[in-house]
Amino acid sequence: MSTSYEPRPEHKFTFGLWTVGNVGRDPFGEPVRPPISPVEIVHLLAEVGAYGVNLHDNDLVPIDATPAERDRIVRDFKRALEETGLKVPMATTNLFTDPVFKDGAFTSNDPAVRAYALQKTMQAMDLGVELGAETYVFWGGREGTESDATKNPVEAIKRMREALNFLCAYALDQGYALKFALEAKPNEPRGDIYLPTTGAMLGFIETLDHPEMVGVNPEVAHEQMAGLNFLHAVAQAWDAGKLFHIDLNDQNPGRYDQDFRFASHLWKQAFFLVKFLEDVGYEGPRHYDAHAYRTEDLDGVKDFARGCMRSYLILKEKARQFNEDPEIQALLAEINPPVQGIPDPGAPYTRAHAEALKAHAFDRRAIAARGLAYERLDQLVFDLLMGVR
Ligand code: DIG
Ligand code: MN
Ligand code: MN
């Protein structure tokens, strides 16, 4: 069957203004690309076939803009959205660039910073809702330490909870139907960042006043920086009903946050992630929080954006082939035998069932001797991904 890998709106591919707008600055070098305006970025994303565009407040409205300048900028941005049909599914706050946040925002030791961070976030929420955002992301890039002499970690978590409880209450008071999505990262730019993984965020959410409003926004590179299996983090979030958003990119483990083009490095992990999202019917945006190599010009930036979406669609087709491959499916059935001749390990507790489990004579050696054909199965996946199957 001829398969087009061309993005369509129903694929819900989105990019942040800061992604294709990345000018290529890094800790060891100045920008290599001229800045492009938010309006130009909207038209670029429309040209490459994206569904939507996301933003931090200051990606669109400079931090020192006057109210009149803000209104003009937002008006021009809205016009570009109308001209292109692009949506704004997600918004967030920049609580990490300005020097005022040098020691964090919500967890800063300075109450003036904590209060200013609330003010800035409420204003940014207002902007996001004005642009149609339904998900609001919180990435605490500066919420951390270089020395634990400086901050009591329990106090820091309490401050984070106070801020999120306040902002949940603000959204409810304003009648905003926003879903909050917390994004974890283990480190960078801080030596250690609080709530460093998606798992830590899932535990934290249950301590909030309105946990039903709050989910997670896992990012591929961030879980991989922590040496974790990204699919497993996403699966736990999905199981908990908390996969509110997702940041797709790629990463060579053991490096700084590389934010590579999606699936450009760890193909197999990207395949299993796409297969999972498609198999479970994830309906949220496929957001690419990534940027082009510093080597690229504007055409290279467009190649980057097209590649993110094309690679997802290629892996989506591979997932369909996996699900329809007779040998793979036969092997999966074989390695997942039905419950037969034993007390069901998945049955709910009853005293009788416990007695039956305790009394059953398991042939441990025979069970242990079973071969599982995982090598064959994994090779079939390799063959599939390499296009020889
Ligand atoms: C970095 O991974 C963070 C920021 O870019 C932003 O706050 C968030 C939105 O996806 N991701
Ligand atoms: Mn990142
Ligand atoms: Mn991100």
mmCIF file of all heavy atoms in Angstrom, residues 212-247:
data_model
loop_
_atom_site.group_PDB
_atom_site.id
_atom_site.type_symbol
_atom_site.label_atom_id
_atom_site.label_comp_id
_atom_site.label_asym_id
_atom_site.label_seq_id
_atom_site.Cartn_x
_atom_site.Cartn_y
_atom_site.Cartn_z
ATOM 1 N N GLU A 212 -6.902 16.351 40.133
ATOM 2 C CA GLU A 212 -7.631 16.006 38.901
ATOM 3 C C GLU A 212 -7.315 16.975 37.752
ATOM 4 O O GLU A 212 -7.469 16.644 36.586
ATOM 5 C CB GLU A 212 -9.148 16.003 39.164
ATOM 6 C CG GLU A 212 -9.800 17.359 39.363
ATOM 7 C CD GLU A 212 -9.491 18.010 40.731
ATOM 8 O OE1 GLU A 212 -8.874 17.334 41.584
ATOM 9 O OE2 GLU A 212 -9.857 19.192 40.918
ATOM 10 N N MET A 213 -6.828 18.177 38.109
ATOM 11 C CA MET A 213 -6.506 19.177 37.065
ATOM 12 C C MET A 213 -5.102 19.005 36.525
ATOM 13 O O MET A 213 -4.729 19.660 35.553
ATOM 14 C CB MET A 213 -6.589 20.591 37.652
ATOM 15 C CG MET A 213 -7.948 21.091 37.982
ATOM 16 S SD MET A 213 -7.874 22.745 38.726
ATOM 17 C CE MET A 213 -7.124 23.713 37.415
ATOM 18 N N VAL A 214 -4.311 18.165 37.189
ATOM 19 C CA VAL A 214 -2.864 18.183 36.939
ATOM 20 C C VAL A 214 -2.381 16.822 36.437
ATOM 21 O O VAL A 214 -2.700 15.781 37.019
ATOM 22 C CB VAL A 214 -2.100 18.575 38.213
ATOM 23 C CG1 VAL A 214 -0.611 18.756 37.906
ATOM 24 C CG2 VAL A 214 -2.663 19.871 38.817
ATOM 25 N N GLY A 215 -1.645 16.859 35.339
ATOM 26 C CA GLY A 215 -1.017 15.647 34.779
ATOM 27 C C GLY A 215 0.436 15.949 34.470
ATOM 28 O O GLY A 215 1.021 16.867 35.048
ATOM 29 N N VAL A 216 0.981 15.195 33.534
ATOM 30 C CA VAL A 216 2.402 15.355 33.216
ATOM 31 C C VAL A 216 2.631 15.598 31.729
ATOM 32 O O VAL A 216 1.776 15.264 30.893
ATOM 33 C CB VAL A 216 3.220 14.115 33.658
ATOM 34 C CG1 VAL A 216 3.311 14.040 35.187
ATOM 35 C CG2 VAL A 216 2.674 12.832 33.068
ATOM 36 N N ASN A 217 3.773 16.178 31.440
ATOM 37 C CA ASN A 217 4.256 16.408 30.077
ATOM 38 C C ASN A 217 5.652 15.791 29.983
ATOM 39 O O ASN A 217 6.663 16.479 30.092
ATOM 40 C CB ASN A 217 4.319 17.911 29.768
ATOM 41 C CG ASN A 217 4.924 18.190 28.397
ATOM 42 O OD1 ASN A 217 4.577 17.541 27.422
ATOM 43 N ND2 ASN A 217 5.843 19.137 28.329
ATOM 44 N N PRO A 218 5.735 14.455 29.820
ATOM 45 C CA PRO A 218 7.058 13.815 29.763
ATOM 46 C C PRO A 218 7.823 14.240 28.516
ATOM 47 O O PRO A 218 7.212 14.419 27.450
ATOM 48 C CB PRO A 218 6.726 12.317 29.708
ATOM 49 C CG PRO A 218 5.287 12.195 30.056
ATOM 50 C CD PRO A 218 4.649 13.483 29.661
ATOM 51 N N GLU A 219 9.109 14.401 28.652
ATOM 52 C CA GLU A 219 9.943 14.712 27.477
ATOM 53 C C GLU A 219 10.956 13.605 27.283
ATOM 54 O O GLU A 219 11.641 13.190 28.234
ATOM 55 C CB GLU A 219 10.647 16.041 27.614
ATOM 56 C CG GLU A 219 11.600 16.315 26.429
ATOM 57 C CD GLU A 219 12.206 17.685 26.399
ATOM 58 O OE1 GLU A 219 11.472 18.672 26.634
ATOM 59 O OE2 GLU A 219 13.429 17.791 26.169
ATOM 60 N N VAL A 220 11.090 13.138 26.034
ATOM 61 C CA VAL A 220 11.993 12.027 25.710
ATOM 62 C C VAL A 220 13.375 12.271 26.287
ATOM 63 O O VAL A 220 13.910 11.446 27.061
ATOM 64 C CB VAL A 220 12.086 11.840 24.185
ATOM 65 C CG1 VAL A 220 13.112 10.776 23.843
ATOM 66 C CG2 VAL A 220 10.714 11.470 23.596
ATOM 67 N N ALA A 221 13.976 13.420 25.944
ATOM 68 C CA ALA A 221 15.374 13.669 26.320
ATOM 69 C C ALA A 221 15.538 13.714 27.832
ATOM 70 O O ALA A 221 16.563 13.265 28.373
ATOM 71 C CB ALA A 221 15.860 14.980 25.700
ATOM 72 N N HIS A 222 14.547 14.215 28.527
ATOM 73 C CA HIS A 222 14.703 14.407 29.971
ATOM 74 C C HIS A 222 14.714 13.085 30.730
ATOM 75 O O HIS A 222 15.548 12.891 31.632
ATOM 76 C CB HIS A 222 13.606 15.322 30.508
ATOM 77 C CG HIS A 222 13.646 16.692 29.911
ATOM 78 N ND1 HIS A 222 12.718 17.666 30.215
ATOM 79 C CD2 HIS A 222 14.498 17.253 29.006
ATOM 80 C CE1 HIS A 222 13.018 18.768 29.533
ATOM 81 N NE2 HIS A 222 14.079 18.545 28.795
ATOM 82 N N GLU A 223 13.825 12.170 30.387
ATOM 83 C CA GLU A 223 13.858 10.862 31.070
ATOM 84 C C GLU A 223 15.129 10.110 30.683
ATOM 85 O O GLU A 223 15.738 9.425 31.502
ATOM 86 C CB GLU A 223 12.626 10.039 30.691
ATOM 87 C CG GLU A 223 11.290 10.631 31.088
ATOM 88 C CD GLU A 223 11.085 10.820 32.590
ATOM 89 O OE1 GLU A 223 11.358 9.888 33.359
ATOM 90 O OE2 GLU A 223 10.673 11.916 32.982
ATOM 91 N N GLN A 224 15.547 10.260 29.436
ATOM 92 C CA GLN A 224 16.761 9.559 28.997
ATOM 93 C C GLN A 224 18.002 10.144 29.660
ATOM 94 O O GLN A 224 18.945 9.412 29.962
ATOM 95 C CB GLN A 224 16.873 9.596 27.470
ATOM 96 C CG GLN A 224 15.866 8.653 26.806
ATOM 97 C CD GLN A 224 15.870 8.729 25.296
ATOM 98 O OE1 GLN A 224 16.453 9.638 24.722
ATOM 99 N NE2 GLN A 224 15.208 7.786 24.655
ATOM 100 N N MET A 225 17.990 11.457 29.935
ATOM 101 C CA MET A 225 19.118 12.050 30.681
ATOM 102 C C MET A 225 19.243 11.396 32.049
ATOM 103 O O MET A 225 20.338 11.268 32.604
ATOM 104 C CB MET A 225 18.892 13.554 30.857
ATOM 105 C CG MET A 225 19.179 14.387 29.635
ATOM 106 S SD MET A 225 18.651 16.096 29.895
ATOM 107 C CE MET A 225 19.878 16.644 31.098
ATOM 108 N N ALA A 226 18.101 10.959 32.597
ATOM 109 C CA ALA A 226 18.110 10.310 33.923
ATOM 110 C C ALA A 226 18.383 8.819 33.799
ATOM 111 O O ALA A 226 18.290 8.082 34.783
ATOM 112 C CB ALA A 226 16.759 10.552 34.611
ATOM 113 N N GLY A 227 18.664 8.355 32.582
ATOM 114 C CA GLY A 227 18.987 6.941 32.379
ATOM 115 C C GLY A 227 17.770 6.036 32.427
ATOM 116 O O GLY A 227 17.888 4.837 32.672
ATOM 117 N N LEU A 228 16.592 6.615 32.171
ATOM 118 C CA LEU A 228 15.350 5.855 32.308
ATOM 119 C C LEU A 228 14.778 5.467 30.943
ATOM 120 O O LEU A 228 15.143 6.043 29.915
ATOM 121 C CB LEU A 228 14.322 6.683 33.089
ATOM 122 C CG LEU A 228 14.753 7.073 34.513
ATOM 123 C CD1 LEU A 228 13.714 8.000 35.143
ATOM 124 C CD2 LEU A 228 14.983 5.844 35.370
ATOM 125 N N ASN A 229 13.874 4.498 30.959
ATOM 126 C CA ASN A 229 13.176 4.062 29.751
ATOM 127 C C ASN A 229 11.973 4.977 29.562
ATOM 128 O O ASN A 229 11.029 4.952 30.375
ATOM 129 C CB ASN A 229 12.733 2.598 29.934
ATOM 130 C CG ASN A 229 11.991 2.055 28.717
ATOM 131 O OD1 ASN A 229 11.073 2.706 28.199
ATOM 132 N ND2 ASN A 229 12.385 0.883 28.253
ATOM 133 N N PHE A 230 12.008 5.806 28.522
ATOM 134 C CA PHE A 230 10.961 6.819 28.343
ATOM 135 C C PHE A 230 9.596 6.172 28.166
ATOM 136 O O PHE A 230 8.604 6.640 28.729
ATOM 137 C CB PHE A 230 11.277 7.707 27.136
ATOM 138 C CG PHE A 230 10.289 8.815 26.938
ATOM 139 C CD1 PHE A 230 10.208 9.851 27.856
ATOM 140 C CD2 PHE A 230 9.423 8.833 25.852
ATOM 141 C CE1 PHE A 230 9.302 10.885 27.707
ATOM 142 C CE2 PHE A 230 8.495 9.861 25.691
ATOM 143 C CZ PHE A 230 8.439 10.890 26.618
ATOM 144 N N LEU A 231 9.543 5.067 27.413
ATOM 145 C CA LEU A 231 8.251 4.406 27.199
ATOM 146 C C LEU A 231 7.625 4.002 28.532
ATOM 147 O O LEU A 231 6.413 4.180 28.752
ATOM 148 C CB LEU A 231 8.423 3.158 26.322
ATOM 149 C CG LEU A 231 7.201 2.248 26.197
ATOM 150 C CD1 LEU A 231 6.027 2.981 25.569
ATOM 151 C CD2 LEU A 231 7.544 0.995 25.388
ATOM 152 N N HIS A 232 8.429 3.505 29.453
ATOM 153 C CA HIS A 232 7.887 3.072 30.747
ATOM 154 C C HIS A 232 7.340 4.256 31.538
ATOM 155 O O HIS A 232 6.316 4.151 32.219
ATOM 156 C CB HIS A 232 8.959 2.339 31.552
ATOM 157 C CG HIS A 232 9.441 1.076 30.893
ATOM 158 N ND1 HIS A 232 10.424 0.269 31.444
ATOM 159 C CD2 HIS A 232 9.092 0.484 29.728
ATOM 160 C CE1 HIS A 232 10.640 -0.757 30.639
ATOM 161 N NE2 HIS A 232 9.851 -0.645 29.585
ATOM 162 N N ALA A 233 7.996 5.418 31.427
ATOM 163 C CA ALA A 233 7.488 6.614 32.119
ATOM 164 C C ALA A 233 6.149 7.044 31.515
ATOM 165 O O ALA A 233 5.197 7.357 32.237
ATOM 166 C CB ALA A 233 8.501 7.748 32.002
ATOM 167 N N VAL A 234 6.082 7.006 30.185
ATOM 168 C CA VAL A 234 4.846 7.396 29.498
ATOM 169 C C VAL A 234 3.721 6.410 29.821
ATOM 170 O O VAL A 234 2.580 6.802 30.067
ATOM 171 C CB VAL A 234 5.083 7.477 27.977
ATOM 172 C CG1 VAL A 234 3.784 7.617 27.199
ATOM 173 C CG2 VAL A 234 6.009 8.649 27.649
ATOM 174 N N ALA A 235 4.074 5.118 29.876
ATOM 175 C CA ALA A 235 3.064 4.090 30.172
ATOM 176 C C ALA A 235 2.498 4.268 31.575
ATOM 177 O O ALA A 235 1.282 4.147 31.791
ATOM 178 C CB ALA A 235 3.675 2.703 30.023
ATOM 179 N N GLN A 236 3.366 4.616 32.542
ATOM 180 C CA GLN A 236 2.868 4.817 33.899
ATOM 181 C C GLN A 236 1.962 6.043 33.950
ATOM 182 O O GLN A 236 0.921 6.042 34.612
ATOM 183 C CB GLN A 236 4.029 4.994 34.884
ATOM 184 C CG GLN A 236 3.532 5.107 36.329
ATOM 185 C CD GLN A 236 4.644 5.256 37.340
ATOM 186 O OE1 GLN A 236 5.831 5.236 37.003
ATOM 187 N NE2 GLN A 236 4.281 5.418 38.600
ATOM 188 N N ALA A 237 2.349 7.103 33.217
ATOM 189 C CA ALA A 237 1.502 8.309 33.171
ATOM 190 C C ALA A 237 0.150 7.991 32.539
ATOM 191 O O ALA A 237 -0.899 8.382 33.044
ATOM 192 C CB ALA A 237 2.216 9.407 32.396
ATOM 193 N N TRP A 238 0.192 7.225 31.442
ATOM 194 C CA TRP A 238 -1.061 6.849 30.765
ATOM 195 C C TRP A 238 -1.935 6.004 31.692
ATOM 196 O O TRP A 238 -3.129 6.240 31.836
ATOM 197 C CB TRP A 238 -0.753 6.066 29.488
ATOM 198 C CG TRP A 238 -1.989 5.566 28.791
ATOM 199 C CD1 TRP A 238 -2.581 4.343 28.905
ATOM 200 C CD2 TRP A 238 -2.820 6.330 27.892
ATOM 201 N NE1 TRP A 238 -3.723 4.279 28.150
ATOM 202 C CE2 TRP A 238 -3.894 5.479 27.515
ATOM 203 C CE3 TRP A 238 -2.750 7.615 27.371
ATOM 204 C CZ2 TRP A 238 -4.896 5.905 26.641
ATOM 205 C CZ3 TRP A 238 -3.754 8.045 26.487
ATOM 206 C CH2 TRP A 238 -4.802 7.189 26.146
ATOM 207 N N ASP A 239 -1.333 5.037 32.366
ATOM 208 C CA ASP A 239 -2.069 4.158 33.284
ATOM 209 C C ASP A 239 -2.762 4.972 34.382
ATOM 210 O O ASP A 239 -3.858 4.642 34.833
ATOM 211 C CB ASP A 239 -1.095 3.138 33.906
ATOM 212 C CG ASP A 239 -1.770 2.237 34.922
ATOM 213 O OD1 ASP A 239 -2.591 1.393 34.526
ATOM 214 O OD2 ASP A 239 -1.493 2.415 36.146
ATOM 215 N N ALA A 240 -2.095 6.058 34.786
ATOM 216 C CA ALA A 240 -2.641 6.900 35.859
ATOM 217 C C ALA A 240 -3.621 7.943 35.311
ATOM 218 O O ALA A 240 -4.152 8.768 36.069
ATOM 219 C CB ALA A 240 -1.498 7.605 36.590
ATOM 220 N N GLY A 241 -3.848 7.929 34.006
ATOM 221 C CA GLY A 241 -4.738 8.928 33.404
ATOM 222 C C GLY A 241 -4.142 10.325 33.435
ATOM 223 O O GLY A 241 -4.853 11.329 33.452
ATOM 224 N N LYS A 242 -2.809 10.389 33.421
ATOM 225 C CA LYS A 242 -2.128 11.684 33.607
ATOM 226 C C LYS A 242 -1.261 12.096 32.420
ATOM 227 O O LYS A 242 -0.498 13.055 32.509
ATOM 228 C CB LYS A 242 -1.231 11.610 34.861
ATOM 229 C CG LYS A 242 -2.017 11.455 36.155
ATOM 230 C CD LYS A 242 -2.825 12.708 36.469
ATOM 231 C CE LYS A 242 -3.538 12.591 37.812
ATOM 232 N NZ LYS A 242 -4.367 13.788 38.096
ATOM 233 N N LEU A 243 -1.365 11.395 31.279
ATOM 234 C CA LEU A 243 -0.582 11.796 30.109
ATOM 235 C C LEU A 243 -1.321 12.923 29.402
ATOM 236 O O LEU A 243 -2.042 12.728 28.427
ATOM 237 C CB LEU A 243 -0.334 10.615 29.165
ATOM 238 C CG LEU A 243 0.624 10.909 27.996
ATOM 239 C CD1 LEU A 243 2.030 11.241 28.508
ATOM 240 C CD2 LEU A 243 0.688 9.750 27.015
ATOM 241 N N PHE A 244 -1.137 14.152 29.915
ATOM 242 C CA PHE A 244 -1.885 15.309 29.403
ATOM 243 C C PHE A 244 -1.218 15.924 28.194
ATOM 244 O O PHE A 244 -1.838 16.688 27.450
ATOM 245 C CB PHE A 244 -2.019 16.375 30.491
ATOM 246 C CG PHE A 244 -3.026 16.045 31.569
ATOM 247 C CD1 PHE A 244 -3.632 14.793 31.669
ATOM 248 C CD2 PHE A 244 -3.377 17.015 32.503
ATOM 249 C CE1 PHE A 244 -4.550 14.503 32.665
ATOM 250 C CE2 PHE A 244 -4.298 16.747 33.512
ATOM 251 C CZ PHE A 244 -4.883 15.490 33.594
ATOM 252 N N HIS A 245 0.069 15.664 27.992
ATOM 253 C CA HIS A 245 0.820 16.268 26.885
ATOM 254 C C HIS A 245 2.116 15.476 26.754
ATOM 255 O O HIS A 245 2.443 14.661 27.625
ATOM 256 C CB HIS A 245 1.094 17.756 27.205
ATOM 257 C CG HIS A 245 1.447 18.603 26.025
ATOM 258 N ND1 HIS A 245 2.744 18.899 25.682
ATOM 259 C CD2 HIS A 245 0.671 19.212 25.098
ATOM 260 C CE1 HIS A 245 2.742 19.686 24.615
ATOM 261 N NE2 HIS A 245 1.505 19.874 24.227
ATOM 262 N N ILE A 246 2.846 15.667 25.680
ATOM 263 C CA ILE A 246 4.129 14.955 25.546
ATOM 264 C C ILE A 246 5.095 15.784 24.709
ATOM 265 O O ILE A 246 4.676 16.429 23.735
ATOM 266 C CB ILE A 246 3.897 13.551 24.911
ATOM 267 C CG1 ILE A 246 5.135 12.662 25.088
ATOM 268 C CG2 ILE A 246 3.481 13.653 23.447
ATOM 269 C CD1 ILE A 246 4.870 11.190 24.770
ATOM 270 N N ASP A 247 6.352 15.812 25.130
ATOM 271 C CA ASP A 247 7.410 16.531 24.390
ATOM 272 C C ASP A 247 8.282 15.508 23.676
ATOM 273 O O ASP A 247 9.016 14.746 24.314
ATOM 274 C CB ASP A 247 8.284 17.349 25.368
ATOM 275 C CG ASP A 247 7.704 18.720 25.650
ATOM 276 O OD1 ASP A 247 6.591 19.006 25.155
ATOM 277 O OD2 ASP A 247 8.350 19.508 26.376
#
